[in-house]
Amino acid sequence: MTRAVEDSNSATVIASPQLMRWRYLKDRFATVGVSIGGVSVIFAVVLIFFYLLWVVVPLFKPAHMSLRTAFEVPGSSAPSLLYAAEEQGELGLRLNAQGELRIFDLVTGQIRLAHDFGHRISAVSKVDPAAGELAALDDSGRVHLFRHKYRLAYPQNGERTNTPRLEFPHGHDGIAIGTGQSLAVRETDDRLSIAVADGRTVHLRRYDKTVSFLDDSVELDEVADLELQLPLPIDLVLIDPLQEWLYAFNFEKATLYFYNILRLPTLELTQTVELAPRGVRLRAASLLAGGISLIVASEDGEITQWFPLRDAEGAYSLQRVRDFRRPGEDAVVALLPEQRRRGFMVLDAGGMAGVYYATSERRVMQEHLSDAAYRIGTVAPRADIMLLENTSGQLQVVELHNEHPEVSWKALWGKIWYESYPEPTYTWQSSAANNDFEPKFSLSPLAFGTLKAAFYAMLFAVPLAIAGAIYTAYFMSPGMRQLVKPTVEVMEALPTVILGFLAGLWLAPFIENYLAGVFLLLLFLPLTMPVSGWLWSKVPGALRLSVPDGWAPALLVLPLLAASALALLLSQPLEQAFFGGSLPMWLDNEMGISYDQRNSLVVGLAMGFAVIPTIFSIAEDAVFSVPKQLSQGSLALGATPWQTLVRVVLPTASPGIFSGLMIGLGRAVGETMIVLMATGNTPIMDFNIFEGFRTLSANIAVEMPESEVGSTHFRILFLAGLVLFLFTFVVNTMAEVVRQRLRMKYSNL
């Protein structure tokens, strides 16, 4: 049996059943293929979203701690003065007032190394926790500096061994300085500073260090030996790691004497600070990692952070930066800083342990771990183990899981007062050259830079793309349209890395040298077009008729090029006459507007050039696709071409034009290479068109290769990618909703 069908020429064609089945199969295959492709795209997008979410979620997981084991304090029952732990969290160190030093296993409590100083110890100090260097002051007035070291080995049986040892870099006899109840020692490669507090006297001594080239022995050359007489008894002295500041505390009056000791023997009392309200005494004080911030706990439950700031005259003073709530209702007995981050732990008299992070202003967690009051403790170098001794003579080994304390809503999006900054700021600075660096993970300047780049790119691209699309689709002759439209669309094939390369190496210096001419272009080009049209109307009719119909606008290219050349030729004379020879320098000196060579203007031009083809192509198709009967009917009813365009064509094409704008915006927001190469990549929040910025996408491209997998930095970069993903999703969803409403509104035209 056959079936009769009609072809396009209205001729009857007899189709066999086999042909019909084959057509049906092809139709089904096409339907299934398109469906699979569409579902695959949706699945891929959803998969990307969930992968980003999977990487980002650990940032916001709560910290927790658990008791690994507990045993009797190793060694004698003399009061413990100091605890330390090694890198792997396998061995711990205890030094008591009897002068007994014990290194012990953190699982069994078994003593692995024992050393006796031969004297009672009155005070201790952590010299350089990263190097395992400690100091002890004995009752004979000698300071013993020592390091606890550990050697990992893998014997033939494959079981790892961890062997502890002690080193005494300045000899076993120590350095004689005098007795006291508080000790502070700091040592760097070139100097050593020691401070001992005895009542109202602080004995301060500094040495220069000389290392022998032959045997690496160290010689100490004394450069300062001072005694400070203070109004109040001193309970605690601290020295920062760079040996610039001396802190002398009186706990009873909550008073701090803040000294500048950088240029010893010249000594300067910088400030006397009241750390708590009158009548409230201090409970504990400690320097955070890096030695810039000071954490102080008072009897009223306040835990405060302080650090020195320089005023307009260059003088330093301690500034109270932020406050924290104590973990429980009982008095704080110890502050335990982390070695590598701005975190610290708080122990109180009720057996409560709290975990805090200074930069993010968080109390990360708190846990009641002991029925007896805590007395002393320490945090392992990786901040994953805590050693806590309570008043019942028990030592608790606590496992701490606190991977990302740096993250909080305020740290990511709010203003944070970073160390040594004069005020709270939005700052992104994820790494530095040393371990004392305070990471700054504010996404606000990156999000601002992303929107700034998109704004200036769209400001340049939208008028040109939309106006060009309207003219090409509605007014331009078919012959010229066949040349112009493909030419503009070919622009989209240019690699953005090439555009960024040209923008950074050619366009940026060009604009800096001809900045006045660039501004003249904004005046000359709009004036050139109507003036050229008026002049063309005065040309004799025979000459005008000699130009093919619809090709007259091509002649506008010549006056536009001439106007551009004139603007650039006038640039240098104009700058010499009115701006002292350089408009960028004049803006900086006279107007206070800083000028960066690779700035937002350069990015706006380069990225606008990249976005124009996308918007133009979609908008032109939308305008050209408006049914001809609509425009012809409007013209037949007496409307002018301009009235027809504004009241009939543009409303009908508005959904497509709006789609082009949104797709162009998405392209601008996600652009990477142009902003990476054409800006200074400075994460600042300044709307100045002559300043650079850093976008989320460029930041990911720059820093992802150098980030440690699984680190806070790594996951925050993925969070930046998730923010871009969600922003694009929300914008596209809103655009589709608006497009559908526009389509319904003008569907009856």
Side-chain angles (χ1 to χ4, degrees):
M1 181 177 181
T2 60
R3 180 176 299 178
V5 296
E6 291 188 356
D7 63 6
S8 59
N9 296 320
S10 300
T12 302
V13 178
I14 305 301
S16 65
Q18 293 83 0
L19 180 60
M20 294 301 298
R21 284 196 297 271
W22 176 240
R23 288 179 177 177
Y24 175 77
L25 287 175
K26 287 194 294 183
D27 181 69
R28 293 298 299 168
F29 279 132
T31 302
V32 172
V34 171
S35 300
I36 292 175
V39 172
S40 298
V41 170
I42 296 174
F43 177 76
V45 171
V46 172
L47 193 64
I48 291 172
F49 171 75
F50 279 105
Y51 177 72
L52 291 174
L53 205 61
W54 178 71
V55 177
V56 168
V57 162
L59 285 174
F60 305 99
K61 285 185 177 179
H64 64 277
M65 63 176 73
S66 58
L67 183 64
R68 178 203 283 183
T69 185
F71 45 81
E72 294 297 318
V73 171
S76 68
S77 59
S80 300
L81 298 180
L82 181 143
Y83 278 97
E86 56 90 31
E87 179 84 12
Q88 307 299 324
E90 298 175 353
L91 301 176
L93 178 148
R94 175 184 181 242
L95 177 61
N96 63 21
Q98 201 65 35
E100 299 171 346
L101 186 149
R102 301 291 184 264
I103 296 180
F104 54 92
D105 190 290
L106 292 183
V107 176
T108 64
Q110 179 183 0
I111 295 176
R112 299 283 299 278
L113 185 148
H115 176 80
D116 292 329
F117 285 95
H119 293 272
R120 290 186 60 84
I121 302 299
S122 57
V124 294
S125 174
K126 292 188 176 182
V127 182
D128 184 0
E133 187 169 6
L134 308 170
L137 176 66
D138 64 26
D139 57 4
S140 69
R142 304 189 72 85
V143 176
H144 302 269
L145 279 79
F146 60 96
R147 300 189 184 108
H148 55 111
K149 297 288 188 178
Y150 305 88
R151 184 170 62 88
L152 294 175
Y154 296 85
Q156 293 182 353
N157 59 11
E159 184 178 352
R160 186 180 67 179
T161 61
N162 196 346
T163 306
R165 70 182 189 276
L166 294 178
E167 295 179 356
F168 294 84
H170 303 292
H172 289 74
D173 295 335
I175 301 172
I177 190 171
T179 59
Q181 75 278 359
S182 181
L183 171 69
V185 182
R186 290 291 185 179
E187 184 175 16
T188 58
D189 292 337
D190 57 352
R191 62 188 175 189
L192 170 67
S193 296
I194 303 174
V196 175
D198 186 16
R200 301 188 180 198
T201 302
V202 175
H203 193 170
L204 179 61
R205 186 180 296 173
R206 175 167 291 173
Y207 297 93
D208 281 343
K209 294 170 57 179
T210 304
V211 180
S212 172
F213 290 102
L214 299 178
D215 56 3
D216 291 334
S217 61
V218 177
E219 294 184 4
L220 299 179
D221 181 21
E222 183 179 307
V223 295
D225 191 6
L226 306 173
E227 283 195 359
L228 310 179
Q229 298 297 326
L230 300 177
L232 296 171
I234 300 304
D235 299 295
L236 175 67
V237 287
L238 297 173
I239 299 175
D240 74 295
L242 297 180
Q243 303 172 46
E244 296 180 359
W245 307 108
L246 171 70
Y247 304 87
F249 297 84
N250 174 267
F251 281 11
E252 188 63 35
K253 300 293 184 181
T255 301
L256 167 63
Y257 299 98
F258 181 44
Y259 282 91
N260 187 332
I261 61 172
L262 180 61
R263 295 177 178 84
L264 289 178
T266 302
L267 188 66
E268 177 187 353
L269 176 61
T270 302
Q271 189 183 10
T272 301
V273 188
E274 300 296 330
L275 298 173
R278 187 178 298 275
V280 177
R281 72 184 305 272
L282 300 183
R283 299 289 302 183
S286 179
L287 289 170
L288 291 183
I292 298 175
S293 288
L294 181 71
I295 294 292
V296 178
S298 55
E299 202 169 40
D300 59 357
E302 290 289 330
I303 302 172
T304 56
Q305 180 185 0
W306 305 68
F307 53 69
L309 292 177
R310 190 195 298 264
D311 59 21
E313 288 74 29
Y316 281 95
S317 62
L318 275 179
Q319 177 70 44
R320 182 170 176 170
V321 178
R322 54 180 67 96
D323 301 340
F324 303 91
R325 294 175 297 151
R326 60 183 174 183
E329 298 299 324
D330 297 289
V332 173
V333 297
L335 297 173
L336 312 178
E338 294 186 20
Q339 292 186 18
R340 299 170 183 173
R341 302 184 299 194
R342 296 308 189 273
F344 60 97
M345 286 65 179
V346 179
L347 307 180
D348 72 8
M352 186 78 73
V355 180
Y356 297 77
Y357 197 81
T359 305
S360 58
E361 302 186 19
R362 292 180 62 194
R363 184 174 68 181
V364 180
M365 66 165 299
Q366 60 186 29
E367 190 76 28
H368 188 273
L369 296 172
S370 173
D371 294 330
Y374 283 119
R375 186 162 56 193
I376 191 174
T378 193
V379 182
R382 296 181 181 178
D384 55 353
I385 297 291
M386 291 193 299
L387 307 184
L388 308 178
E389 180 186 328
N390 57 30
T391 53
S392 65
Q394 188 181 56
L395 181 65
Q396 295 179 326
V397 181
V398 178
E399 291 186 350
L400 177 61
H401 300 274
N402 183 26
E403 296 295 327
H404 309 290
E406 305 95 332
V407 178
S408 67
W409 178 263
K410 185 172 183 180
L412 292 175
W413 300 105
K415 283 188 174 182
I416 295 294
W417 202 338
Y418 299 103
E419 291 176 347
S420 302
Y421 278 52
E423 60 185 6
T425 61
Y426 299 104
T427 304
W428 173 275
Q429 189 181 2
S430 58
S431 60
N434 57 60
N435 293 329
D436 295 334
F437 168 72
E438 181 183 24
K440 305 166 184 67
F441 291 126
S442 176
L443 293 178
S444 293
L446 306 180
F448 178 86
T450 301
L451 297 177
K452 183 180 179 181
F455 172 79
Y456 284 116
M458 297 297 283
L459 188 66
F460 174 72
V462 168
L464 295 178
I466 297 299
I470 293 172
Y471 184 83
T472 303
Y474 189 72
F475 293 105
M476 189 174 286
S477 64
M480 182 178 288
R481 179 177 180 272
Q482 290 179 359
L483 293 177
V484 171
K485 189 173 188 294
T487 302
V488 175
E489 291 176 343
V490 165
M491 291 167 51
E492 195 166 11
L494 288 174
T496 56
V497 65
I498 300 299
L499 294 177
F501 177 80
L502 293 175
L505 297 185
W506 171 75
L507 184 60
F510 180 85
I511 290 178
E512 184 180 26
N513 294 330
Y514 294 94
L515 185 59
V518 172
F519 285 119
L520 284 178
L521 286 174
L522 300 178
L523 176 65
F524 282 12
L525 294 181
L527 291 177
T528 299
M529 288 182 280
V531 170
S532 299
W534 179 78
L535 292 176
W536 179 251
S537 68
K538 302 302 181 182
V539 172
L543 181 60
R544 284 190 283 117
L545 292 175
S546 64
V547 178
D549 186 31
W551 286 85
L555 300 177
L556 189 61
V557 174
L558 294 177
L560 288 177
L561 291 176
S564 301
L566 178 62
L568 296 177
L569 287 174
L570 292 176
S571 179
Q572 296 296 335
L574 190 65
E575 291 191 19
Q576 291 289 345
F578 297 101
F579 303 108
S582 174
L583 181 54
M585 292 183 62
W586 183 86
L587 288 171
D588 193 1
N589 297 332
E590 301 296 330
M591 304 296 293
I593 301 175
S594 58
Y595 185 93
D596 186 8
Q597 186 186 78
R598 299 188 180 188
N599 52 46
S600 304
L601 177 60
V602 176
V603 174
L605 294 175
M607 197 155 69
F609 183 85
V611 171
I612 281 175
T614 302
I615 302 176
F616 172 87
S617 181
I618 298 174
E620 201 273 344
D621 287 339
V623 175
F624 191 77
S625 299
V626 174
K628 298 301 180 183
Q629 59 267 28
L630 293 181
S631 57
Q632 292 171 357
S634 174
L635 294 172
L637 292 174
T640 64
W642 182 255
Q643 290 173 325
T644 300
L645 172 69
V646 173
R647 299 186 180 182
V648 176
V649 176
L650 289 184
T652 306
S654 59
I657 295 175
F658 186 76
S659 296
L661 290 176
M662 291 300 101
I663 293 175
L665 177 62
R667 168 79 185 274
V669 168
E671 178 55 49
T672 302
M673 294 310 300
I674 294 177
V675 295
L676 187 63
M677 303 177 73
T679 70
N681 274 318
T682 49
I684 58 176
M685 297 185 68
D686 190 341
F687 208 74
N688 179 6
I689 193 173
F690 301 121
E691 280 285 0
F693 51 83
R694 179 181 289 192
T695 65
L696 289 165
S697 57
N699 189 66
I700 294 171
V702 169
E703 299 195 7
M704 183 61 77
E706 300 178 358
S707 63
E708 177 189 353
V709 176
S711 65
T712 301
H713 180 208
F714 176 84
R715 296 187 187 278
I716 289 179
L717 292 177
F718 271 84
L719 177 61
L722 183 61
V723 170
L724 275 177
F725 185 96
L726 293 176
F727 178 83
T728 306
F729 176 79
V730 170
V731 169
N732 288 342
T733 302
M734 293 174 60
E736 182 62 20
V737 171
V738 173
R739 190 184 73 84
Q740 291 293 342
R741 291 188 177 183
L742 289 174
R743 189 173 181 180
M744 292 177 61
K745 180 177 180 180
Y746 297 111
S747 61
N748 295 325
L749 289 177

